[in-house]
Amino acid sequence: MDGPATERVFGLSAEGVRAARNRDPAARECPDAGRSDSARQQGDWASEALGAVLDRVAVSHAEVGARFPLFADPDTGRWTTTGRGSWVGGFWAGLLWLRARHTGDERDRATAAECTARLAPWAEADTATRGLILWYGTALADNDPGADALRARAARACLRDYEPRIGLVPWGAALGGPRLLARADGVPGTVRLLATENPTAAASHLHTHLALCVRGADGPRPAWQWDAATGWQPCEDPPADWARGRAWLLLALADALLTSSADLRTQQAYEALELLLPRPGDPLVPPAHADHGDGPLDTSAAAITAVALWKLALLRDGRSGSYTERAVQTLRRLVSAHLADGRLLDGCYDAGRGTAVRHQLVWGDFFLAFGLAALTGLLDLTAV
């Protein structure tokens, strides 16, 4: 079970994070907020933070067992879990693979491989979130034939479900609701899977989403529904100002621009990049909804964005330095002001429904660990 929230592993305790946030709202956007000079100067902050996050993964694994963590209470650290993993299962498997890389322990590799194997039912599930589940749940597996086979199986299933008439793999019915949706969170990972089978289908999936979600007729919208009579119609939920939707699209676009496929590296893609990049003055850790600046933050959106910027820095397009600088600033902000006991707090699952609005989110932990692993040289960004 997770220890008390006041247990200190790295950075602030959970109480310290809340105190800094409540004492000074500006601390949410001030570098190294709430930390002493001596704490800032100790050793390699990124390595220590990564170690804390991955140590916490072991604690969480002992708690959740064969279930998949979804989000954890910021005070108690107690996880809300799911039996099959839902759309987040791949991030838990990814964290276990990162821990295995970090420790080099064969027992950790076995744990990660077993978790990845439990994601197999999602390969044929009717959902575009196969990209989130089965790209990120397998791509970090080193020399694991089971993970490689599962990733290939998922890629074939994505191509099977690709619908040329609407230009994408639809959101699907596996998670409930209408099937013929285009959503921002159905793009990352899915483009990577499709590209291994059919780069043309991958490009269509990406560009259709960019045309709708970034440059739609009604302005940027993260979700659209197909109607046979009227075509694509914008959805009200998630709303247009959803920060994580923007981050998901930026991540998918960074992956696409790093490929060697001319089908993916298009003028449309580069134009969308200019619209999705953080603007000068944008907060490093955004509110969950941009039009509600006094609402909850979403540290998971910040972590996803940091990873996307790390990847974009590899383009060497003359802005690599600025991409890298903001990525490092974001990671350092997350570590200094929002990391408690190896848990990334202040993630927002669903602000509209009031669900887990200042919590530890499993995908937030994953992308923070991913970014720190890239910064410390534990992984090759081009491979994941």
Side-chain angles (χ1 to χ4, degrees):
M1 303 295 288
D2 284 351
T6 54
E7 177 188 358
R8 187 180 295 267
V9 177
F10 177 82
L12 299 175
S13 67
E15 290 179 349
V17 169
R18 289 195 299 276
R21 185 172 59 232
N22 294 333
R23 179 176 64 250
D24 179 8
R28 301 196 300 181
E29 295 307 328
C30 178
D32 299 317
R35 300 185 72 199
S36 67
D37 287 342
S38 61
R40 285 196 299 270
Q41 293 168 359
Q42 61 176 348
D44 183 340
W45 65 271
S47 292
E48 291 184 34
L50 178 61
V53 173
L54 297 179
D55 285 348
R56 194 68 183 194
V57 168
V59 174
S60 295
H61 181 258
E63 176 188 340
V64 304
R67 294 180 66 82
F68 291 87
L70 180 58
F71 53 78
D73 184 274
D75 298 318
T76 67
R78 184 74 53 88
W79 284 101
T80 293
T81 63
T82 175
R84 295 178 63 240
S86 188
W87 62 272
V88 305
F91 299 121
W92 179 233
L95 277 167
L96 292 170
W97 282 114
L98 276 174
R99 176 170 169 79
R101 285 192 183 206
H102 183 69
T103 65
D105 192 320
E106 285 300 318
R107 292 170 297 181
D108 290 330
R109 279 186 56 84
T111 297
E114 186 275 333
C115 180
T116 296
R118 287 189 284 117
L119 297 174
W122 290 102
E124 279 76 39
D126 181 24
T127 175
T129 63
R130 268 180 300 225
L132 299 179
I133 301 167
L134 293 170
W135 176 260
Y136 292 104
T138 64
L140 285 162
D142 290 321
N143 301 314
D144 185 82
D148 292 344
L150 181 56
R151 184 168 58 253
R153 181 175 146 197
R156 292 191 297 270
C158 281
L159 183 59
R160 179 201 66 207
D161 288 348
Y162 171 74
E163 297 204 16
R165 67 187 175 112
I166 56 175
L168 49 72
V169 178
W171 178 250
L175 299 178
R179 179 176 187 275
L180 296 182
L181 297 179
R183 284 184 47 129
D185 39 357
V187 191
T190 304
V191 170
R192 300 290 296 269
L193 290 174
L194 279 171
T196 65
E197 289 289 317
N198 188 320
T200 301
S204 179
H205 185 78
L206 173 70
H207 293 134
T208 301
H209 279 89
L210 293 179
L212 292 169
C213 299
V214 182
R215 308 193 73 164
D218 293 336
R221 294 271 189 163
W224 294 73
Q225 182 171 355
W226 173 259
D227 181 273
T230 59
W232 289 108
Q233 300 299 317
C235 301
E236 294 301 317
D237 184 45
D241 64 346
W242 185 38
R244 198 158 65 247
R246 186 186 190 96
W248 286 134
L249 289 169
L250 186 64
L251 177 64
L253 193 51
D255 281 335
L257 293 175
L258 283 173
T259 70
S260 58
S261 171
D263 289 335
L264 290 167
R265 299 176 59 122
T266 63
Q267 184 63 30
Q268 180 187 357
Y270 282 102
E271 289 173 357
L273 175 63
E274 298 307 315
L275 297 173
L276 290 170
L277 283 170
R279 296 174 293 270
D282 282 355
L284 294 175
V285 181
H289 295 283
D291 293 343
H292 300 278
D294 58 346
L297 300 175
D298 187 4
T299 52
S300 74
I304 295 165
T305 299
V307 169
L309 291 170
W310 265 124
K311 289 173 174 277
L312 288 169
L314 300 177
L315 292 176
R316 308 298 183 192
D317 65 353
R319 294 183 290 185
S320 294
S322 62
Y323 295 149
T324 300
E325 181 180 13
R326 186 172 177 101
V328 173
Q329 287 176 345
T330 301
L331 293 172
R332 186 145 195 166
R333 180 71 49 78
L334 293 173
V335 167
S336 64
H338 303 282
L339 188 66
D341 315 331
R343 300 181 294 134
L344 181 62
L345 303 182
D346 298 316
C348 183
Y349 187 92
D350 189 333
R353 294 174 176 82
T355 303
V357 296
R358 59 184 186 89
H359 287 51
Q360 177 187 10
L361 308 175
V362 68
W363 66 93
D365 283 1
F366 171 79
F367 282 103
L368 174 62
F370 189 114
L372 293 170
L375 181 58
T376 58
L378 184 64
L379 62 79
D380 176 6
L381 280 173
T382 63
V384 183

